[in-house]
Amino acid sequence: MSNAIAVEVIATRILELRGKKVMLDRDLAKLYGVKVKRLNEQVKRNMKRFPGDFMFQLTNEELDSLRSQNATLNNEKDEISRRGRHIKYLPYVFTEHGVAMLSSVLNSERAIQVNILIMRAFTKLREILLTHKELAAKIEALENKYTEHDQTIKEIFQAIKQLLEPPPEPVKEK
């Protein structure tokens, strides 16, 4: 798989929760080629490296919301349905900074390469969002501009219609 395709695939795994772009521990573990349990063990051994703005644990409500709106948890749903509706541990999610910090606790060649791709995916997502905002602003400016022009054009057509109407017949005196 080429880097461009890998970045695209990774970008689809970036979610927005609590106003932050994050990745699920399950998705990261799969990318790094480790078990979720092992990834989380390394994080717990190095908790000082993962403050709340780098990593946080989902609530039941957030997990249910993700299940209902995303296909990203299909495997998890199957796993949950096999074990009942409840999972033993709520998943962790990592922000861009948390993912960067993971490279320091998962010290393997694969972790380094995957982290580079993930950082590129976050950057690409930021660029797309910035372009989207710029495009939205340009569209709004055009709408405002043409709304003003529409009013001016209407006034011009009204004036032309008045000019095309025959003059009123003069009132004859008796």
Side-chain angles (χ1 to χ4, degrees):
M1 181 174 355
S2 74
N3 281 354
I5 295 171
V7 168
E8 296 291 332
V9 170
I10 292 169
T12 64
R13 297 293 188 203
I14 298 174
L15 310 169
E16 184 160 342
L17 286 167
R18 300 183 194 177
K20 297 178 182 189
K21 301 287 184 221
V22 297
M23 290 186 74
L24 285 164
D25 57 1
R26 286 160 175 71
D27 293 334
L28 289 165
K30 195 176 292 182
L31 289 168
Y32 291 130
V34 298
K35 291 184 177 186
V36 178
K37 183 177 181 178
R38 298 295 164 238
L39 182 134
N40 288 333
E41 281 176 356
Q42 288 298 336
V43 169
K44 287 175 184 172
R45 288 183 186 143
N46 295 279
M47 281 305 286
K48 288 182 181 179
R49 295 177 185 251
F50 296 94
D53 57 331
F54 282 29
M55 175 199 81
F56 55 89
Q57 194 168 25
L58 295 182
T59 64
N60 280 317
E61 294 78 23
E62 289 169 331
L63 183 60
D64 289 341
S65 174
L66 279 177
R67 274 193 203 116
S68 65
Q69 64 183 269
N70 290 317
T72 57
L73 298 178
N74 281 344
N75 293 338
E76 184 180 328
K77 277 190 210 176
D78 294 341
E79 182 182 324
I80 292 168
S81 62
R82 274 187 253 119
R83 292 187 292 157
R85 250 338 251 159
H86 304 287
I87 56 175
K88 192 171 183 180
Y89 302 105
L90 291 168
Y92 287 96
V93 292
F94 296 83
T95 65
E96 182 176 357
H97 299 297
V99 172
M101 192 58 74
L102 277 174
S103 65
S104 66
V105 297
L106 298 174
N107 198 9
S108 71
E109 187 61 34
R110 180 175 175 138
I112 292 167
Q113 295 306 313
V114 167
N115 262 47
I116 290 168
L117 293 174
I118 292 171
M119 292 301 110
R120 287 181 179 153
F122 273 104
T123 302
K124 184 176 181 79
L125 200 56
R126 258 195 312 279
E127 289 170 359
I128 290 170
L129 291 174
L130 183 60
T131 302
H132 177 72
K133 286 180 184 176
E134 289 171 355
L135 186 58
K138 286 179 182 178
I139 290 171
E140 186 175 339
L142 284 172
E143 285 176 345
N144 292 337
K145 179 180 177 181
Y146 288 112
T147 301
E148 292 170 15
H149 287 312
D150 285 349
Q151 185 60 36
T152 305
I153 291 169
K154 283 180 187 174
E155 291 171 4
I156 291 170
F157 278 121
Q158 286 175 349
I160 290 171
K161 284 180 185 176
Q162 286 177 355
L163 289 173
L164 294 175
E165 288 179 5
E169 292 185 26
V171 178
K172 295 181 182 177
E173 288 184 31
K174 293 184 181 173

